[in-house]
């Protein structure tokens, strides 16, 4: 069976750097940090009091006011980004075959705010008033509902589900969407991910694990991947949505094409529930598998958007894996962690970073890894690699690889290349 080619024809995003793709991309190129004191709740008693929040988002710009009340904010982000991506794709929704379009989204946690709110109300009022829950509690909370809403809103009758693999969730969703199209199971897929976990239980839970940076005096400088003084990740939120489409289907309707999806990889560390393998075993395997799937050599890749969360073990192990997989070609690559600006969007990270990788391929620009100082070097990291510190770099980018790794040892990556016709 000959596999079909898959291209990206639409993108949409809500991020801590902007409420659309254009604003987010401009701020990424400038090296702007999205970190600031938390406004979603009073974090003054928490060890971490800052995050990369979405700013100025108005759900009613995209969703009817009555419907907004039925949705957790992670679903609102997903629907807004999906509308952007579908509009951007230029699909004629009156004539296109909706039976051949599906939705696969990735979500790491889902409606944590809804769960926290309802459980809190019950804890306070339940003993007196009895169990009184919002009738929309369950559909607001469950992790699959954003994919369901998008399918319902647009009448897409193709495959419809959600992947959950912690911070690899939306890359796994993208991989599934890619495979469904190239195997002929759909003509197009709406894919990506969404997350909104900057609430007391989210921040408090990660604080208890000692996973978050506590640099409260300098939030904008807290995410500093590959620097010796890094002390944990900065939580982010938002959504990234892509429209993937079978090449001939896209060409037949005259769609613009951002890039081609060349291949995907998946692996497991099989090591620890939260820590990455110290030698980067799973990271090595996932990149090797993506290259094999894409029928590409390490020398074909010009840019890696790394997982790069600004944690001690994670950053070191990913660098080890890159050096082992890419060999001498590693020193010709640009590497950057855009989490230094967006924070870590958890289940939405892979989708947002896929969009960043696609825009890098399209525009021949590598966004920077910010917050590095020359004297702040970790003796376990090879700084002869090009981490694109502090300033974006223009260079020809034939193909970019995007890594995402999640708690539980889940690893997924995707390769995007310039569309050649």
């Amino acid at each position: 069976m000959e596999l079909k080619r898959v291209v990206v024809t639409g993108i949409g995003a809500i991020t801590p750097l902007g409420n659309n793709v254009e604003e987010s991309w401009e701020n990424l190129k400038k090296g702007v940090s999205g970190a600031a004191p938390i406004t979603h709740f009073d974090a003054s008693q928490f060890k971490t009091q800052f995050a990369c929040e979405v700013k100025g988002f108005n759900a009613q710009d995209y969703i009817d006011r009555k419907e907004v009340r039925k949705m957790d904010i992670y679903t609102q982000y997903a629907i807004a980004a999906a509308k952007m991506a579908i509009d951007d794709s230029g699909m004629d929704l009156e004539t296109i075959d909706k039976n051949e379009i599906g939705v696969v989204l990735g979500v790491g946690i889902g409606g944590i705010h809804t769960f926290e709110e309802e459980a809190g109300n019950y804890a306070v009022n339940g003993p007196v008033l009895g169990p009184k829950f919002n009738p929309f509690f369950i559909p607001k909370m469950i992790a699959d509902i954003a994919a369901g809403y998008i399918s319902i809103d647009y009448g897409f009758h193709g495959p419809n589900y959600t992947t959950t693999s912690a911070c690899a969730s939306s890359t796994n969703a993208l991989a599934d969407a890619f495979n469904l199209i190239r195997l002929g199971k759909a003509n197009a897929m709406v894919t990506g991910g969404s997350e909104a976990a900057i609430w007391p239980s989210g921040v408090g839970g990660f604080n208890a694990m000692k996973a978050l940076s506590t640099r409260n005096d300098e939030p904008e400088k807290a995410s500093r991947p590959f620097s010796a003084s890094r002390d944990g990740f900065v939580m982010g939120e938002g959504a990234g949505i892509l429209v993937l489409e079978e090449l001939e289907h896209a060409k037949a309707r005259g769609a613009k094409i951002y890039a081609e999806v060349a291949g995907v990889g998946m692996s497991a560390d099989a090591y620890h529930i939260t820590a990455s393998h110290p030698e980067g075993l799973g990271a090595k395997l996932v990149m090797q598998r993506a290259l094999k799937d894409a029928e590409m050599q390490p020398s074909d890749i010009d840019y890696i958007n790394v997982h790069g969360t600004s944690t001690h073990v994670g950053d070191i192990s990913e660098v080890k894996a890159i050096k082992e997989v890419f060999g001498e070609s590693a020193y010709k690559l640009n590497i950057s962690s855009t989490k230094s600006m967006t924070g870590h969007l958890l289940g939405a990270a892979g989708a947002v970073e896929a969009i960043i990788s696609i825009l890098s391929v399209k525009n021949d620009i590598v966004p920077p890894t910010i917050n590095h100082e020359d004297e702040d070097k970790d003796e376990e990291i090879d700084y002869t690699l090009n981490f694109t510190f502090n300033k974006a770099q223009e260079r020809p980018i034939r193909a970019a690889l995007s890594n995402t790794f999640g708690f539980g040892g889940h690893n997924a990556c995707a390769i995007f290349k310039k569309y050649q016709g």
Side-chain angles (χ1 to χ4, degrees):
M1 176 183 175
E2 184 177 354
L3 296 176
K4 299 177 184 294
R5 292 171 66 185
V6 181
V7 293
V8 181
T9 58
I11 51 177
I14 300 287
T15 81
L17 299 180
N19 289 334
N20 54 57
V21 170
E22 294 75 19
E23 185 181 1
S24 298
W25 178 241
E26 288 303 312
N27 282 323
L28 282 161
K29 291 189 294 181
K30 294 174 185 175
V32 174
S33 170
I38 290 171
T39 64
H40 290 343
F41 66 95
D42 180 3
S44 60
Q45 300 301 311
F46 285 70
K47 292 178 182 177
T48 296
Q49 298 167 12
F50 62 94
C52 287
E53 295 178 331
V54 167
K55 303 161 186 71
F57 174 74
N58 182 4
Q60 292 180 43
D61 290 341
Y62 310 95
I63 307 163
D64 180 81
R65 180 177 58 85
K66 292 181 180 178
E67 292 299 311
V68 168
R69 297 170 57 194
K70 303 175 185 177
M71 300 175 185
D72 188 270
I73 193 166
Y74 96 91
T75 300
Q76 297 171 23
Y77 290 159
I79 290 174
K83 177 173 173 47
M84 294 178 202
I86 293 166
D87 288 350
D88 184 47
S89 75
M91 288 193 294
D92 184 346
L93 298 174
E94 297 300 317
T95 61
I96 203 160
D97 186 354
K98 296 180 182 179
N99 289 337
E100 298 300 322
I101 302 175
V103 185
V104 180
L105 298 189
V107 179
I109 298 174
I112 190 171
H113 180 230
T114 294
F115 183 84
E116 182 178 295
E117 188 173 53
E118 291 293 317
N121 287 341
Y122 175 71
V124 172
N125 300 315
V128 177
L129 303 176
K132 293 186 178 181
F133 288 85
N134 187 316
F136 294 104
F137 170 37
I138 298 301
K140 284 178 70 174
M141 176 193 71
I142 52 179
D144 70 297
I145 205 67
Y149 264 115
I150 293 166
S151 173
I152 292 165
D153 286 349
Y154 290 93
F156 295 150
H157 293 282
N160 181 260
Y161 57 94
T162 294
T163 60
T164 298
S165 49
C167 303
S169 295
S170 54
T171 304
N172 277 126
L174 188 151
D176 280 9
F178 170 61
N179 284 323
L180 285 164
I181 296 170
R182 67 174 174 170
L183 290 171
K185 307 295 184 183
N187 289 334
M189 295 292 296
V190 177
T191 190
S194 182
E195 201 81 272
I198 304 173
W199 302 104
S201 53
V203 175
F206 281 116
N207 267 158
M209 296 174 59
K210 303 186 188 312
L212 297 180
S213 171
T214 56
R215 196 182 288 266
N216 293 310
D217 55 336
E218 294 183 301
E220 70 284 356
K221 296 182 179 179
S223 184
R224 45 181 57 216
F226 311 114
S227 294
S229 61
R230 63 193 184 278
D231 70 331
F233 75 84
V234 176
M235 195 183 297
E237 63 176 352
I241 302 292
L242 306 88
V243 175
L244 304 189
E245 197 165 345
E246 192 271 321
L247 174 59
E248 296 305 319
H249 186 269
K251 288 167 64 176
R253 67 179 188 85
K256 70 178 180 299
I257 294 173
Y258 283 97
E260 182 169 357
V261 187
V264 295
M266 289 168 273
S267 76
D269 278 3
Y271 171 72
H272 189 273
I273 58 171
T274 57
S276 57
H277 191 283
E279 299 302 315
L281 176 62
K284 171 187 169 183
L285 286 171
V286 78
M287 288 186 282
Q288 288 174 329
R289 288 170 179 169
L291 287 165
K292 182 179 180 180
D293 190 46
E295 298 182 344
M296 298 173 78
Q297 298 300 314
S299 58
D300 295 325
I301 304 296
D302 293 313
Y303 169 47
I304 301 178
N305 187 295
V306 291
H307 188 58
T309 57
S310 190
T311 59
H312 180 70
V313 174
D315 287 5
I316 292 170
S317 63
E318 190 170 9
V319 170
K320 287 180 179 178
I322 289 169
K323 291 177 67 175
E324 190 161 348
V325 171
F326 287 86
E328 287 303 311
S329 295
Y331 298 91
K332 300 174 184 178
L333 291 164
N334 274 73
I335 296 165
S336 75
S337 171
T338 49
K339 288 184 179 72
S340 61
M341 295 173 279
T342 65
H344 190 354
L345 275 69
L346 308 178
V352 169
E353 289 159 18
I355 290 170
I356 294 167
S357 299
I358 289 161
L359 291 173
S360 294
V361 169
K362 182 178 184 291
N363 297 295
D364 292 319
I365 298 174
V366 179
T369 304
I370 68 168
N371 294 328
H372 183 72
E373 300 165 2
D374 288 341
E375 65 274 14
D376 192 13
K377 287 185 165 58
D378 184 329
E379 63 183 16
E380 295 187 71
I381 290 177
D382 181 357
Y383 291 100
T384 60
L385 295 168
N386 185 356
F387 291 100
T388 323
F389 283 133
N390 298 323
K391 187 177 180 181
Q393 183 177 333
E394 295 186 22
R395 62 163 292 172
I397 303 175
R398 298 163 296 166
L401 182 151
S402 179
N403 277 335
T404 45
F405 313 141
F407 284 177
H410 313 297
N411 307 305
C413 79
I415 297 174
F416 306 95
K417 66 181 182 181
K418 273 190 165 62
Y419 170 62
Q420 299 293 343

